[in-house]
Amino acid sequence: MIIIGSDHGGYETKEFLKKQLEKNNHPYIDCGCDGSSVDYPDIAELVCRRVLKDPGSKGVLVCGTGVGISIAANKIKGIRAALCGDYYTAKYTRLHNDTNVICLSGRAIGCEAAWELLNVWLTTEFEGGRHTLRIDKITAIEEKEYTNE
């Protein structure tokens, strides 16, 4: 299952991506927005919590730049979100980093480019092997408590 959401800056791109997902028989759940002004951290949390509840699902987040929503998503334990603006990054964040959320810009790239990135991301499997150790290290960092000391 694909869990998708955007703020108002990514709304047009999100709606385009939903149509492409339908055409390509990818079931999805839309967590908002409806085009009205919303705060991207709220959408990031909705999508990411849903991704974590449904093992094997993947998340798609879109805001104006993709930056804010990716920062918010990565605050959630268990989420590995990557902002992607090119084909290579979209492919290798799945292949090597086993990302479970892709973040896209609604304003810096066009809708067609966003679909190209999402499509390669969805169709690329995690390579495993030596990369599994690195993912385990990322998970270990999440488990630590950090203070300003």
Side-chain angles (χ1 to χ4, degrees), residues 79-91:
I79 294 297
R80 286 182 309 284
L83 172 57
C84 297
D86 62 84
Y87 184 92
Y88 183 87
T89 303
K91 180 174 181 149

Side-chain angles (χ1 to χ4, degrees), residues 18-84:
K18 285 171 36 181
K19 290 176 187 170
Q20 297 306 309
L21 290 169
E22 287 172 11
K23 285 181 189 176
N24 289 275
N25 299 312
H26 290 291
Y28 68 86
I29 297 169
D30 184 352
C31 290
C33 76
D34 62 5
S36 58
S37 182
V38 296
D39 295 329
Y40 60 80
D42 297 333
I43 298 298
E45 184 174 21
L46 284 172
V47 168
C48 292
R49 295 285 176 212
R50 194 89 186 239
V51 166
L52 292 172
K53 285 182 183 179
D54 184 4
S57 67
K58 293 184 173 83
V60 179
L61 291 170
V62 189
C63 73
T65 63
V67 174
I69 211 159
S70 68
I71 292 170
N74 279 307
K75 297 297 181 183
I76 299 171
K77 181 178 176 179
I79 294 297
R80 286 182 309 284
L83 172 57
C84 297

Side-chain angles (χ1 to χ4, degrees), residues 13 16-17 84-87 104 108-120:
T13 300
F16 179 84
L17 294 175
C84 297
D86 62 84
Y87 184 92
L104 300 163
I109 62 174
C111 291
E112 292 288 343
W115 169 244
E116 180 183 356
L117 301 180
L118 177 54
N119 190 45
V120 70

